[in-house]
């Protein structure tokens, strides 16, 4: 619709710029490379100056002397503008508008969104009694300008349902509706709003809009599309909305939480916003291309979410419509290109950098176990005369005249030199030395076959069946950051993999056996005792093989290499015997006379003795308790989630303009800076992502607050004041109420970026409270409700539809946070797009209502095959940033609502509630069912129709018990066996109809 009133004086931004931008800027706009005629129409000094032809495009006050008017009205096709091959034409109305504008003086304005918002004065209005706040004065002033008036307020039931859905994503219960209707206090509605804003459901509902923008998903999104653990970021967003984190902090922590001084774990988790983009490790991709693609996605998302601009247009060339240059794009690129990690994700769930993100209950349990362990260790270290006497006897074996075992020394970069054999037969303590780097080598297998690996120069024979020569040294690939006792896979094809040695000195020969098999995975035994197991068939040989080697007395350099279908992988173990391994420092201290030991050495020896060799019933009980606590702590710690974060490299990577956006076509090097068309960054700020984030939310920035309040308006009114919420540039739509947008933006900043305050202002306004009923004439004039002459009405989003069905049925499990869950979906969807090597190729639905019936916010999102229920109702795949969802209406949607097993199961749940809570008559039960789903009492006709439908279905199911059983079998939860099957089936069908009423699936 034309947002300008016919009686208004023409304004450049509102009336002229949209015409010029759409029809003229491609040839006469900001981009120099494609500019024709030597002039541009976005700048006054150029448009009123002389063109290459010598003519003046725009002569203020003189349309007939203006070449612009002559060209757009010419009958000569060779002269007429826009040219025919542009496929653009000006309507007679647009030609007249341009002529009148020039006649009025041809005033230019800077693009409205590039000037800082200023708080406007509240307009005078005739409907003085209608406004409830400043918002309403702007709305009714525009309505009066259009000779319209606001409509009546919606009835109280509709109003409560509307605001409850808008603030929590769930409908009110019948009890909440009845309590609200009974509350006659003047501020009853405001009290209801405050209660909803304080509900944890508020954060869950608000978060999903942001997660669309952040492109959050549970998989990498390309090629294998493996699982990627990022749900702690999703939970951070929920918590941020619930605790009303100021929006400027909300932005800063996501863009640069890792750069904040003394950054908390929460702030680090927030920086995962920059890691939500799709990623890959496909073998055929080029690392540099993956790096560039990832950074470009960050820049595009930053531009859309923070600035509301289509900055992606400038990846390849200057913007054709907005004063953004390619240099601007790659200067922003320079802020986001220095991730201290490999952009190739390794197909891992936790490609670095990551942090651990324990749940609150895990944190509490770890703290409790730490307390128990500390108490037990303190008791173990306390005075214990009985054990001290045992220790004196135990230490006799380390007398100076006894043979002893020593560890091997060496540098950090070369293999250890062979040590003299100081071990003797009969001693079973093992001394373990350091690891020594020998690599890197590009061909691990060839290296293992070489003679350069061991201090004695003996080769290791390794063939395709993993056979090793008995008696040779055995080893494995190991990275320095690996943790002892944990199995890791190395990165496939990593040429920088290091080969490391562990030196084990034994007092007597030991036998080591390695079993490799497709059924058993990997098993390692020492003297018949299981040391290590790895239940990973991928690392095993096709046929069972046993590798046996004998560790010679004295020094043994151990290395084990297990191939994983051609990729580097590996494991390692620490050798054990019947006696415990004695660490070198303990062994060295134990061989000293007691009187010559330092306090630290004495403590080491006593601790080792009490942990391993001392004997006492009380000590055994203490060890058992300590072992149990340590084991549980290890298990709890193992289950702590990780989440991807951003971490800056110590030295930022250089950035270059990429010719035509090609990753390998470096042009001029660029430095970090903000777009030149916008106010500059504070000179005192750090020129990094933190400085950039602070620049975004600075008062001088004309975009961030406008963009934010517009998206909140869009959320509650169905369409933004700026309809193109992703584009505040020249090609975007001008605001329907520019003064209101500026008022909200300035007020938002002045409030301290208080989101809940803004939301409260929106939903308590008179404009929001209007009825959505519309007469044909008003609908004809304003089909999209841009003038706000009525309340907004639109279909519920995908998540709300499912959550409402589960909530009214009594099945919804309102557990907050945690790993994503997989409710049922049609078979084969993942397999159709998946690779056999992917860990998400096969969909396996979760079991148990605590997972199956969670809020849809927590549903697992596989980007290459999004949940079909969400996809059908226009939820995005989360492959890219989306700030405005589309809404469609297709037959497939109705089929899903009527037939999807989870919706049928929800209908059955509502039917069970109807039978147990609805009373003892058909009419009372029908009334309960309708009231629960629609949040209002049915009319006489609606009640009669529902009762009739129930009775017809009851007769059908009385006659066909098998059909009733088939219906009740839908879904995962079993139907109540104590309820009459025909009655339950009939009420299920009645509930299915009510849950699919237009009134129920629509936000009125």
């Amino acid at each position: 619709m034309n947002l300008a009133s016919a009686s208004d004086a023409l304004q450049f931004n509102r009336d002229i710029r949209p015409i010029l931008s759409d029809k003229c800027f491609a040839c006469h706009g900001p981009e120099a490379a494609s500019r024709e005629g030597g002039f541009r129409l976005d700048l006054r000094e150029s448009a009123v100056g002389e063109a290459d032809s010598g003519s003046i495009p725009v002569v203020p006050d003189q349309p007939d002397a203006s070449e612009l008017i002559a060209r757009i009205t010419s009958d000569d096709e060779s002269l007429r503008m826009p040219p025919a091959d542009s496929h653009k034409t000006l309507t007679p109305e647009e030609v007249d508008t341009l002529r009148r504008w020039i006649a009025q003086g041809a005033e230019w304005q800077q693009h409205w969104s590039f000037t800082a918002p200023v708080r406007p004065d509240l307009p005078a209005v005739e409907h003085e009694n209608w406004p409830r706040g400043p918002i309403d004065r702007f709305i009714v002033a525009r309505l009066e300008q259009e000779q319209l008036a606001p409509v009546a307020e919606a009835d109280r039931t509709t109003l409560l349902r509307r605001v409850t859905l808008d603030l929590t994503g769930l409908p009110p219960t019948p009890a909440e509706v009845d309590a609200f209707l009974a509350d006659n206090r003047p501020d009853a509605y405001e009290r209801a709003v405050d209660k909803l804003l304080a509900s944890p459901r508020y954060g869950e509902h608000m978060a999903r809009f942001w997660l669309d923008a952040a492109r959050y998903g549970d998989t990498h999104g390309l090629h294998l599309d493996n699982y990627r653990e990022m749900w702690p970021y999703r939970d951070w967003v929920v918590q941020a909305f619930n605790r009303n984190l100021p929006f400027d902090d909300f932005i800063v922590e996501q863009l640069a939480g890792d750069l904040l001084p003394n950054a908390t774990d929460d702030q680090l988790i927030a920086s995962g916003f920059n890691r939500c983009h799709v990623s890959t490790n496909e073998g055929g991709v080029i690392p540099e291309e993956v790096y560039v693609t990832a950074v470009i996605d960050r820049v595009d998302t930053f531009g859309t979410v923070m600035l509301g601009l289509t900055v992606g247009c400038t990846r390849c060339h200057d913007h054709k419509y907005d004063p953004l240059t390619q240099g601007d794009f790659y200067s922003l690129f320079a802020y986001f290109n220095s991730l201290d990690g490999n952009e190739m994700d390794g197909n891992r769930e936790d490609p670095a950098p990551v942090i651990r993100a324990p749940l609150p209950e895990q944190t509490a349990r770890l703290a409790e176990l730490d307390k128990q362990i500390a108490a037990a260790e303190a008791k173990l270290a306390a005075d214990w005369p009985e054990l001290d006497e045992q220790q004196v006897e135990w230490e006799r074996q380390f007398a100076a005249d006894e043979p002893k075992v020593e560890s091997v020394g060496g540098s950090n970069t070369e293999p250890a030199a062979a040590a003299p054999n100081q071990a003797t037969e009969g001693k079973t303590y093992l001394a373990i030395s350091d690891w020594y780097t020998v690599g890197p080598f590009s061909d691990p297998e060839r290296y293992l076959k070489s003679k350069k690996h061991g201090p004695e120069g003996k080769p290791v024979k390794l063939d395709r069946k993993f056979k090793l020569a008995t008696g040779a040294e055995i080893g494995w690939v190991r990275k320095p950051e690996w943790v002892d006792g944990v199995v890791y896979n190395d990165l496939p094809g990593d040429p920088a993999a290091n080969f490391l040695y562990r030196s084990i000195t034994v007092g007597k020969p030991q036998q080591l056996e390695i079993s490799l098999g497709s059924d058993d995975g990997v098993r390692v035994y020492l003297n018949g005792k299981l040391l290590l197991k790895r239940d990973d068939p991928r690392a095993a040989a096709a046929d069972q093989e046993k590798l046996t080697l004998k560790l010679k007395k004295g020094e043994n350099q151990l290395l084990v290499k297990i191939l994983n279908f051609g990729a580097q992988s590996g494991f390692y173990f620490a050798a054990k015997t019947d006696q415990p391994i004695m660490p070198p420092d303990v062994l060295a201290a134990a061989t000293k006379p007691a009187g010559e030991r330092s306090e630290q050495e004495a403590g080491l020896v006593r601790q080792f003795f009490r942990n391993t060799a001392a004997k006492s019933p009380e000590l055994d009980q203490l060890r058992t308790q300590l072992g149990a606590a340590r084991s549980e702590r290890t298990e709890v710690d193992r289950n702590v989630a990780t989440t991807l974060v951003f971490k800056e490299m110590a030295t930022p990577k250089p950035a270059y303009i990429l010719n035509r956006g090609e990753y390998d076509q470096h042009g001029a090097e660029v430095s970090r800076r903000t777009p030149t068309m916008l106010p500059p960054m504070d000179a005192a700020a750090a020129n990094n992502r933190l400085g950039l984030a602070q620049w975004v939310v600075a008062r001088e920035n004309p975009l961030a607050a406008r963009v934010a309040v517009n998206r909140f308006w869009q959320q509650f009114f169905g369409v933004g004041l700026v309809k193109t919420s992703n584009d505040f540039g020249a090609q975007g739509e001008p605001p329907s109420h520019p003064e209101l947008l500026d008022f909200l933006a300035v007020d938002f900043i002045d409030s301290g970026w208080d989101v809940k305050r803004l939301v409260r202002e929106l939903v308590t306004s008179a404009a929001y409270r209007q009825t959505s009923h519309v007469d044909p004439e008003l609908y004809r004039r304003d089909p999209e409700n841009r003038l706000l002459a009525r309340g907004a009405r639109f279909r519920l989003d995908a998540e709300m539809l499912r959550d409402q069905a589960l909530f009214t049925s009594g099945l919804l499990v309102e557990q907050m946070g945690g790993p994503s869950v997989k409710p049922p979906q049609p078979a084969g969807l993942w397999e159709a797009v998946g690779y056999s090597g992917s860990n998400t190729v096969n969909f396996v639905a979760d079991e148990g209502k605590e997972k199956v019936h969670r809020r849809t916010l927590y549903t697992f999102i596989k980007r290459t095959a999004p949940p079909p229920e969400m996809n059908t109702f226009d939820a995005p795949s989360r492959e890219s940033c989306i700030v405005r969802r589309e809404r469609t209406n297709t037959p497939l949607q109705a089929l899903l609502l009527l037939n999807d097993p989870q919706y049928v199961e929800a209908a059955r749940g509502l039917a069970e509630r109807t039978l147990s809570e609805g009373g003892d008559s058909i009419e009372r039960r029908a009334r309960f069912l309708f009231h629960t789903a629609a949040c209002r009492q049915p009319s006489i006709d609606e009640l009669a129709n529902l009762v009739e439908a129930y009775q017809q279905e009851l007769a059908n199911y009385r006659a066909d018990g098998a059909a009733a059983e088939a219906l009740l079998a839908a879904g995962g939860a079993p139907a109540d066996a104590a309820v009459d099957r025909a009655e339950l089936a009939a009420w299920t069908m009645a509930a299915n109809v009510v849950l699919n009423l237009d009134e129920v699936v629509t936000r009125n």
Side-chain angles (χ1 to χ4, degrees):
M1 65 173 291
N2 183 2
L3 299 175
S5 171
S7 62
D8 282 349
L10 293 173
Q11 296 179 16
F12 182 81
N13 274 336
R14 185 189 63 197
D15 306 310
I16 306 304
R17 186 186 293 273
I19 299 173
L20 298 180
S21 179
D22 185 42
K23 306 296 173 62
C24 308
F25 278 7
C27 297
H28 304 290
E31 189 194 15
S34 60
R35 192 176 302 136
E36 301 286 348
F39 70 96
R40 51 192 291 188
L41 291 172
D42 61 319
L43 295 179
R44 185 182 190 279
E45 57 269 27
S46 178
V48 300
E50 189 174 286
D52 288 347
S53 64
S55 60
I56 308 297
V58 175
V59 181
D61 302 317
Q62 301 180 51
D64 291 337
S66 300
E67 185 69 10
L68 171 66
I69 299 300
R71 289 299 189 98
I72 65 177
T73 58
S74 174
D75 293 329
D76 186 340
E77 186 173 322
S78 66
L79 296 176
R80 188 170 59 246
M81 293 292 164
D85 59 4
S86 72
H87 305 291
K88 299 277 190 179
T89 57
L90 288 166
T91 66
E93 292 79 11
E94 290 172 330
V95 171
D96 180 64
T97 298
L98 291 174
R99 180 184 290 277
R100 288 193 296 120
W101 166 63
I102 294 175
Q104 291 177 9
E107 292 189 4
W108 261 261
Q109 294 173 305
Q110 186 178 1
H111 184 60
W112 66 268
S113 71
F114 301 155
T115 60
V118 177
R119 184 189 291 266
D121 294 332
L122 299 182
V125 296
E126 297 176 8
H127 292 75
E128 283 285 353
N129 295 327
W130 185 74
R132 292 179 176 271
I135 291 173
D136 298 322
R137 299 189 73 87
F138 291 101
I139 298 298
V140 75
R142 180 63 192 279
L143 291 176
E144 290 171 355
Q145 188 179 14
E146 298 290 336
Q147 299 183 340
L148 294 171
V151 296
E153 185 169 290
D155 66 84
R156 297 190 76 197
T157 299
T158 298
L159 194 55
L160 183 67
R161 180 176 185 266
R162 177 188 298 174
V163 75
T164 305
L165 284 167
D166 277 350
L167 294 182
T168 70
L170 297 171
T173 64
E176 288 169 336
V177 173
D178 292 343
F180 179 65
L181 294 178
D183 188 348
N184 295 319
R185 290 174 292 185
D187 62 345
Y189 177 73
E190 287 77 5
R191 288 172 178 267
V193 168
D194 291 338
K195 183 178 179 181
L196 294 169
L197 289 171
S199 168
R201 298 170 180 169
Y202 164 82
E204 291 180 309
H205 180 59
M206 296 291 287
R208 69 177 183 81
F209 297 94
W210 185 262
L211 294 174
D212 281 356
R215 71 268 192 244
Y216 165 82
D218 292 293
T219 60
H220 296 280
L222 290 172
H223 189 46
L224 293 184
D225 200 24
N226 274 356
Y227 170 62
R228 183 169 72 184
E229 194 164 55
M230 277 207 71
W231 58 262
Y233 169 76
R234 177 244 292 148
D235 289 356
W236 179 87
V237 175
V238 172
Q239 294 157 9
F241 278 110
N242 273 334
R243 60 192 171 97
N244 201 26
L245 181 68
F247 197 75
D248 56 342
D249 291 339
F250 183 73
I251 295 299
V252 168
E253 291 184 15
Q254 291 183 84
L255 285 177
D258 57 304
L259 296 179
L260 289 168
N262 304 311
T264 65
D265 284 350
D266 270 358
Q267 290 167 336
L268 294 175
I269 291 170
S271 73
F273 172 86
N274 300 306
R275 300 286 306 283
C276 285
H277 56 81
V278 298
S279 59
T280 186
N281 203 70
E282 185 177 357
V285 299
I286 301 168
E288 181 72 8
E289 183 178 17
V290 172
Y291 149 73
V292 169
T293 300
V295 182
I296 284 174
D297 181 275
R298 293 182 196 126
V299 178
D300 283 351
T301 300
F302 169 82
T304 301
V305 177
M306 310 302 172
L307 305 179
L309 296 176
T310 55
V311 299
C313 296
T314 56
R315 172 185 177 179
C316 303
H317 50 73
D318 292 349
H319 207 293
K320 287 185 178 295
Y321 305 100
D322 297 326
L324 284 165
T325 68
Q326 197 178 16
D328 290 332
F329 184 90
Y330 288 102
S331 293
L332 288 173
F333 183 102
Y335 287 105
F336 294 98
N337 72 333
S338 296
L339 174 70
D340 191 10
N342 193 343
E343 297 287 4
M344 297 279 286
D345 58 43
N347 294 318
R348 295 168 56 97
E349 70 178 48
D350 56 350
V354 298
I355 67 165
R356 291 158 51 79
L359 295 168
E361 55 269 27
Q362 290 173 324
T363 300
R365 185 56 183 160
L366 288 171
E368 176 61 29
L369 290 169
D370 285 341
K371 185 177 179 181
Q372 294 177 17
I373 291 169
E377 288 176 340
K379 187 173 182 181
L380 188 63
D383 291 340
W384 205 323
E386 175 190 353
L387 301 185
D388 291 341
E389 292 178 5
Q390 291 183 27
Q391 182 176 335
V392 171
E393 182 62 29
W394 174 77
E395 287 187 19
R396 294 185 187 279
Q397 64 184 303
F398 301 108
D401 57 346
E402 291 286 333
K404 55 184 178 290
V405 183
E406 293 183 358
S407 62
V408 178
S411 71
N412 288 327
T413 57
E414 296 296 335
N421 178 20
Q422 296 175 309
T424 60
E425 293 284 347
K427 294 298 178 184
T428 53
Y429 290 102
L430 304 183
I432 301 178
S433 75
D434 298 329
W435 287 98
Y436 303 100
T437 303
V438 185
F441 296 90
S442 60
D443 188 340
E445 187 172 349
R446 184 174 64 191
Y447 170 71
L448 285 175
K449 291 178 179 179
S450 76
K451 295 184 178 181
K452 300 178 181 179
H453 64 284
E456 299 178 14
K458 293 183 179 179
V460 171
K461 297 177 182 178
L462 175 62
D463 65 15
R464 295 296 178 186
K465 292 187 177 180
F466 306 94
K467 291 181 179 178
L468 296 172
T470 301
E473 291 132 13
I474 296 183
W476 55 91
V477 177
R478 177 169 162 74
K479 291 270 189 183
E481 64 269 23
W482 286 0
V483 179
D484 282 0
V486 179
V487 177
Y488 292 89
N489 280 330
D490 204 350
L491 292 177
D494 181 4
N498 289 325
F499 289 78
L500 301 111
Y501 284 80
R502 167 161 277 178
S503 174
I504 297 183
T505 301
V506 297
K508 64 181 181 181
Q510 310 288 338
Q511 180 166 293
L512 184 72
E513 184 175 273
I514 304 176
S515 172
L516 303 163
S518 57
D519 294 330
D520 299 332
V522 179
R523 300 288 187 271
V524 181
Y525 300 85
L526 184 67
N527 295 335
K529 185 175 181 180
L530 180 66
L531 290 183
L532 171 94
K533 64 179 180 178
R534 179 182 181 183
D535 296 315
D536 187 352
R538 294 176 304 166
D543 300 313
Q544 186 75 20
E545 296 285 350
K546 283 193 175 181
L547 314 178
T548 303
L549 50 49
K550 294 183 182 296
L551 303 185
K552 63 181 182 293
K553 183 174 70 173
E555 176 70 12
N556 290 266
Q557 298 284 350
L558 300 184
L559 225 93
V560 175
K561 170 74 171 125
I562 300 299
L563 295 182
N564 182 6
F565 293 102
Q568 290 178 240
S569 65
F571 68 89
Y572 91 99
F573 58 89
K576 294 182 180 179
T577 66
D578 293 337
Q579 296 292 330
I581 297 171
M582 179 172 280
D585 53 349
V586 178
L587 183 62
T591 57
K592 289 184 179 180
E596 297 179 11
R597 299 172 192 159
S598 67
E599 183 178 345
Q600 182 181 7
E601 290 173 329
L604 286 173
V605 175
R606 182 171 66 171
Q607 182 183 34
F608 181 83
F609 170 73
R610 291 187 178 185
N611 280 326
T612 60
K615 299 184 182 301
S616 160
E618 185 179 355
L619 179 61
D620 289 344
Q621 183 179 7
L622 182 61
R623 285 173 179 161
T624 300
Q625 293 171 349
L626 182 57
R630 285 172 172 165
S631 295
E632 184 182 350
R633 195 195 189 289
T634 298
E635 182 63 19
V636 173
D637 192 65
R638 186 180 66 82
N639 289 320
V640 169
T642 59
T643 190
L644 279 61
V645 300
F646 207 94
K647 180 183 178 184
E648 194 81 359
M649 299 172 67
T651 302
K653 294 182 67 169
Y656 305 89
I657 291 178
L658 300 180
N659 298 328
R660 301 189 61 81
E662 296 293 337
Y663 71 91
D664 59 349
Q665 298 296 312
H666 286 192
E669 184 172 352
V670 294
S671 60
R672 294 172 170 179
R673 64 166 176 78
T674 55
T676 54
M677 70 176 189
L678 295 171
M681 183 186 295
D682 186 342
N687 194 20
N688 55 18
R689 272 182 297 109
L690 180 57
L692 179 70
Q694 293 165 340
W695 170 82
V696 167
V697 296
R699 179 176 288 273
E700 296 75 24
N701 190 317
L703 288 166
R706 280 186 177 123
V707 169
V709 298
N710 186 66
R711 284 208 300 268
F712 287 121
W713 186 278
Q714 171 184 272
Q715 182 176 330
F716 295 104
F717 289 89
V719 61
L721 294 170
V722 178
K723 181 179 179 180
T724 53
S725 51
N726 62 322
D727 187 2
F728 276 46
Q731 285 293 91
E733 186 174 293
S736 58
H737 299 73
E739 294 83 6
L740 173 57
L741 179 63
D742 283 2
F743 174 86
L744 290 173
V746 175
D747 191 60
F748 190 38
I749 295 172
D750 290 344
S751 74
W753 301 81
D754 189 331
V755 176
K756 284 190 176 182
R757 178 183 176 276
L758 171 64
V759 169
R760 191 181 192 276
E761 290 294 314
L762 296 181
V763 301
T764 57
S765 67
Y768 177 86
R769 299 192 201 192
Q770 294 177 102
T771 179
S772 61
H773 295 301
V774 58
D775 63 62
E777 175 58 23
L778 179 58
Y779 184 81
R780 185 192 63 78
R781 286 189 61 182
D782 187 12
E784 293 185 308
N785 196 26
R786 301 303 307 285
L787 297 174
L788 280 303
R790 62 183 186 274
R793 182 181 187 274
F794 45 86
R795 191 201 65 211
L796 299 179
D797 286 341
E799 296 90 340
M800 298 171 74
L801 289 167
R802 179 175 176 271
D803 293 348
Q804 174 180 249
L806 291 173
F807 182 72
T808 56
S809 71
L811 294 175
L812 186 67
V813 175
E814 295 197 68
Q815 174 187 337
M816 294 187 68
S820 298
V821 296
K822 302 184 186 74
Q825 67 178 37
L829 297 181
W830 284 15
E831 291 90 333
V833 299
Y835 288 80
S836 59
S838 170
N839 59 24
T840 62
V841 67
N842 296 310
F843 177 82
V844 179
D846 284 329
E847 296 181 354
K849 65 179 183 179
E850 69 281 356
K851 291 187 176 181
V852 172
H853 296 145
R854 294 280 301 281
R855 285 195 73 158
T856 313
L857 171 74
Y858 302 112
T859 294
F860 189 97
I861 296 178
K862 177 178 169 66
R863 284 162 151 155
T864 56
E869 187 271 339
M870 295 175 67
N871 197 40
T872 301
F873 288 101
D874 307 308
S877 67
R878 300 277 176 79
E879 293 172 281
S880 59
C881 166
I882 298 293
V883 294
R884 181 177 60 155
R885 290 191 184 185
E886 298 297 327
R887 284 193 179 93
T888 60
N889 187 10
T890 68
L892 185 60
Q893 295 172 352
L895 288 171
L896 186 149
L897 290 172
L898 287 166
N899 298 290
D900 184 278
Q902 280 222 305
Y903 282 86
V904 176
E905 181 184 30
R908 193 192 69 215
L910 179 55
E912 290 178 342
R913 288 191 64 196
T914 299
L915 287 168
S916 63
E917 303 173 39
D920 53 6
S921 71
I922 295 175
E923 287 76 10
R924 291 181 64 183
R925 288 174 174 174
R927 189 178 295 278
F928 171 87
L929 190 159
F930 191 95
H931 190 196
T932 300
C935 300
R936 68 171 177 84
Q937 294 293 340
S939 68
I940 294 175
D941 288 343
E942 289 168 335
L943 182 62
N945 290 337
L946 187 57
V947 168
E948 181 182 0
Y950 163 74
Q951 290 174 330
Q952 289 177 353
E953 294 294 344
L954 181 63
N956 292 336
Y957 287 120
R958 290 283 187 218
D960 190 351
E965 292 296 341
L967 176 67
L968 299 179
D976 188 347
V979 177
D980 181 277
R981 315 309 278 173
E983 285 189 27
L984 181 57
W987 281 118
T988 296
M989 291 302 296
N992 186 251
V993 170
V994 172
L995 286 174
N996 284 275
L997 292 175
D998 180 70
E999 178 180 352
V1000 174
V1001 301
T1002 302
R1003 183 279 213 188
N1004 289 303

